[in-house]
Amino acid sequence: MANDTIKHFIFVRFFSFHDAKYPHDIFDVDFLLKQLPLARNVLNSLENQTNKNFELIFVLHPRFFDDLEYSFIFSTLEEYTTLPIKFMRNDGGSYLFSPNSNPEVAKFLEDATKNYDYVITTRIDYDDFIYKDAVADTQSKIKECDSVLGYGYCLGYEYSLGDLYYRQSLWVGNGHLGIAQSLILKSSFAKQNPVFRLSVENFDHHILKTELKRFLEHNGVEFSENMFQQNTTTLAYIYFRHENAHAIRTNNRDITQMYQDRKKLTVKDITKKQLAEEFGFHLPLKSIKDKEFVFDYDFTSIQAEEFGSRQDLTAIKWVE
């Protein structure tokens, strides 16, 4: 087991498909220029990983490859990070880009299963964060994978409008949030038949277990419970919810109303330093302040008399 080799692909979607329900024109250059800086989120998070044994692939709409007008997307993403980036066309037209619909994914998986013992595909959107041990943790799961294993995280944080909240997505034991959700393949299993060269993008994130079970049984393989795991103990992600997010705009949700009754986290829950160290997170926060100072002062001193103090203030908490 110690000598097992791993090929790990991380797919990051950046406007990889056109959705008629989405109210913004994803081909508008000004719109894209405003969205591009949000890709620093995932790039900072991946640069922060304790294990960098992965191949980073940005998946984009084919039109961005075919029109020189969009060349700034590629150069800007490369400028944002020291990580090597590959770019892939989403020729399938859907938000999913499985080997069945995308020949590049099929080729990646075919080559990887020939040369590595395990192949891992992971997905995450361009504006989200994952904790620093996500790659290491996911790769450690090969020891629990006899053929195929769907793995992902259900507990983390949610960031919106400058505040941070707790987030839990159990999907009734059936899926994970799509932030660093992974599919682990044992190559010896995948080699049995090309149909088993699966990617995490074969399945919807919230019903991965159901769809994986249906797929395997349809192809003559019995599904077992050890083919699916939910990590429900690690605060593993920061889900960035902004006004232009696809799920919010296509569902006509009022982002301000969504959070009006939610409990905002404070420095008592987590600090900015912890967020930076764990997630590579550096966005503005309202309820979590930069520093908290606590100091005691003897107000029986002459300084208290000089300031005309008439109150018993033996301790002051000063929050910036």
Side-chain angles (χ1 to χ4, degrees):
M1 184 66 70
N3 296 322
D4 284 332
T5 56
I6 299 171
K7 184 64 175 179
H8 191 168
F9 299 104
I10 297 182
F11 296 118
V12 178
R13 290 174 288 195
F14 182 81
F15 296 100
S16 59
F17 68 102
H18 179 262
D19 185 346
K21 295 182 295 183
Y22 188 63
H24 294 289
D25 180 4
I26 69 166
F27 304 118
D28 178 73
V29 169
D30 289 336
F31 174 73
L32 291 169
L33 283 169
K34 292 176 182 177
Q35 300 309 301
L36 259 178
L38 297 183
R40 292 183 186 270
N41 295 0
V42 72
L43 291 171
N44 288 345
S45 200
L46 292 175
E47 284 184 348
N48 196 46
Q49 290 299 302
T50 55
N51 181 342
K52 294 187 178 63
N53 177 30
F54 58 83
E55 187 167 313
L56 175 58
I57 301 173
F58 266 75
V59 185
L60 304 99
H61 194 283
R63 183 166 165 181
F64 299 149
F65 293 82
D66 298 333
D67 192 333
L68 288 176
E69 182 181 24
Y70 302 108
S71 61
F72 69 91
I73 297 175
F74 307 95
S75 58
T76 302
L77 289 172
E78 289 175 330
E79 289 170 4
Y80 281 165
T81 183
T82 59
L83 296 171
I85 304 177
K86 288 187 177 180
F87 298 101
M88 188 179 80
R89 303 164 63 102
N90 180 22
D91 286 318
S94 168
Y95 77 98
L96 294 175
F97 44 92
S98 70
N100 299 331
S101 64
N102 192 303
E104 280 193 83
V105 178
K107 187 67 167 64
F108 286 149
L109 294 179
E110 180 182 3
D111 292 344
T113 53
K114 288 179 180 177
N115 297 294
Y116 297 86
D117 296 307
Y118 291 88
V119 181
I120 303 174
T121 52
T122 297
R123 61 176 156 206
I124 184 170
D125 283 332
Y126 68 96
D127 50 3
D128 295 320
F129 299 82
I130 192 68
Y131 84 118
K132 65 182 180 181
D133 290 322
V135 171
D137 174 52
T138 300
Q139 292 186 11
S140 75
K141 292 297 173 179
I142 65 168
K143 64 181 180 291
E144 300 171 48
C145 177
D146 296 324
S147 52
V148 59
L149 172 61
Y151 181 72
Y153 301 99
C154 297
L155 190 63
Y157 302 98
E158 196 166 319
Y159 174 82
S160 187
L161 303 174
D163 284 304
L164 203 66
Y165 309 83
Y166 284 124
R167 166 85 183 209
Q168 180 173 284
S169 301
L170 293 175
W171 303 114
V172 198
N174 201 18
H176 323 91
L177 204 62
I179 302 178
Q181 185 185 46
S182 299
L183 194 76
I184 304 169
L185 274 179
K186 191 170 186 177
S187 293
S188 58
F189 168 74
K191 288 175 184 176
Q192 294 174 17
N193 189 314
V195 74
F196 296 130
R197 294 192 189 119
L198 301 170
S199 160
V200 69
E201 290 289 352
N202 278 76
F203 312 106
D204 285 304
H205 71 93
H206 60 294
I207 51 173
L208 186 148
K209 182 179 180 181
T210 295
E211 293 192 342
L212 177 61
K213 181 176 186 292
R214 183 185 301 126
F215 177 89
L216 292 174
E217 292 178 348
H218 177 76
N219 288 282
V221 175
E222 184 179 356
F223 177 84
S224 64
E225 290 298 320
N226 63 10
M227 292 178 174
F228 176 82
Q229 285 187 29
Q230 288 182 318
N231 183 320
T232 59
T233 58
T234 305
L235 286 161
Y237 55 77
I238 301 176
Y239 185 19
F240 185 19
R241 306 280 270 168
H242 54 96
E243 60 181 6
N244 290 322
H246 181 268
I248 289 175
R249 295 310 305 270
T250 54
N251 291 295
N252 296 315
R253 304 184 72 181
D254 184 330
I255 194 167
T256 302
Q257 189 176 28
M258 285 170 59
Y259 293 95
Q260 63 183 4
D261 297 323
R262 295 274 298 275
K263 179 182 179 296
K264 300 173 183 177
L265 302 188
T266 69
V267 71
K268 294 179 181 178
D269 303 296
I270 193 166
T271 66
K272 287 187 175 181
K273 181 180 179 182
Q274 289 173 315
L275 289 166
E277 291 176 349
E278 284 295 308
F279 299 94
F281 179 94
H282 301 282
L283 299 180
L285 287 164
K286 297 175 184 175
S287 295
I288 300 176
K289 307 301 182 181
D290 288 327
K291 296 178 182 178
E292 183 172 335
F293 300 96
V294 178
F295 61 92
D296 293 320
Y297 202 92
D298 181 6
F299 269 78
T300 62
S301 66
I302 188 170
Q303 288 93 337
E305 293 179 8
E306 289 177 352
F307 283 103
S309 175
R310 295 293 183 269
Q311 296 179 347
D312 181 17
L313 300 176
T314 57
I316 296 176
K317 177 180 284 190
W318 175 23
V319 178
E320 283 190 345

